[in-house]
Amino acid sequence: MIFRQLFDSISGTYSYLLASRRGGEALIIDPVLEKVDRYLQLVKELDLKLVKAVDTHIHADHVTGLGALRDRTHCITVMGEQARVDVVSMRVVEGDKLTIEGVALDVLYTPGHTDDSYSFLMQDRVFTGDTLLIRGTGRTDFQNGSARAQYQSLFGKLLKLPDETLVYPAHDYKGDTVSTIGEEKAFNPRLQVKSVDEYVDLMSKLNLPNPKMMDVAVPANMRQGLPQDEIARRGWALTATQAMAQIGDPNVALIDLREHSERERHGVIPGSLNAPYPDLAMNIRPGGVLYELACSTGKRLVFYCAFGERSAMAVQAAQDAGLTTACHIHGGMDAWRKAHGPLVH
Ligand SMILES: N[C@@H](CCC(=O)N[C@@H](CS)C(=O)NCC(=O)O)C(=O)O
Ligand SMILES: [Fe+2]
């Protein structure tokens, strides 16, 4: 198991790099833009392949590294369903599993600090974002924060985890690095309340100044999407409506790049094949299933995913691999649904 806690001293942010083994896939939680070079250096030194970059919520105090990491490594970006970002590659909800090779995190929806706050549980440890801090809790006075919702997330979810569960927050301003659920229950001053009303009252009296970077960070963090226009300009994109006309066309192979949980929840395009994005490089090289499918049958590969990000990156990779007819569905299943495209469940 590889587990690294990385710190940005300017914003007091902790980021976490996880992988099951050297040479394997890696995931990063809450990366900070200014530290991207550092993360990528470590990824290289540990011989890892970064495949997912996750934010626990839209941060108000620093610009996220999600977009930069995606642009530089072709990893996918992940946030919760409620996050008001233009586009991320993949969205998760409570009960999902966020997976990479050898690592599975349980997804917990823990609103309160913001309405898009999530926590991620990995066996003996939980990444609590700004829901539960060490001897503190995230403020609830902006971004649709709610002390009432946070009380529920804390007392109804996080504090119900076993006492020995390690707590890894997204921030610390005092120099602490890790705690446990039992320790926080006993010693966190915010958690010594007798009722939700007492908690709401306590949170309403914090009177904290806004984060210094807030006016820059929030708008920047809401615009992380990969521009898909360049792919379209090169003629490598179909609109959802154009793609609909290709269903059943024997010269076309529709390739779903999403994961099992996304396919189950949102349905699939009839007749499409599943080839998850993490296996793309293997699938499009000579001998790989998609390469051979395209070359032996002459079929045009039409990639699709949830929002068009994975498929846009897949088109570029396929084109680079010599699959010159490859294209994707602009905007992915999101656009497909809006265009009332047929689905099978
Ligand atoms: N001084 C910091 C404050 C950052 C801040 O407000 N952090 C939020 C998390 S985004 C929080 O919940 N802080 C809790 C606290 O300060 O007790 C800054 O300007 O960036
Ligand atoms: Fe925050």
Side-chain angles (χ1 to χ4, degrees), residues 17 78 91 146 158 187-188 203 218 224 241 247 261 303-304 314 335:
L17 181 70
V78 184
R91 291 193 184 252
S146 155
L158 294 177
F187 305 117
N188 187 324
M203 294 305 282
V218 173
Q224 287 298 316
T241 312
I247 291 182
S261 59
F303 292 108
Y304 75 94

Side-chain angles (χ1 to χ4, degrees), residues 57-61 113 130 171:
H57 60 290
I58 296 184
H59 294 282
D61 61 325
H113 169 57
D130 294 349
H171 292 294

Side-chain angles (χ1 to χ4, degrees), residues 24 36 97 115 124 141 149 159 179 186 214 236 259 300 302 334:
V36 160
K97 284 214 186 289
D115 63 352
D124 66 340
D141 56 336
L159 300 183
S179 182
M214 184 152 163
W236 298 342
E259 297 181 6
R300 180 178 205 195
V302 181
D334 188 43

Side-chain angles (χ1 to χ4, degrees), residues 213-230:
M213 286 282 286
M214 184 152 163
D215 294 341
V216 176
V218 173
N221 290 339
M222 289 171 81
R223 272 194 313 275
Q224 287 298 316
L226 177 154
Q228 295 174 30
D229 298 352
E230 180 55 25

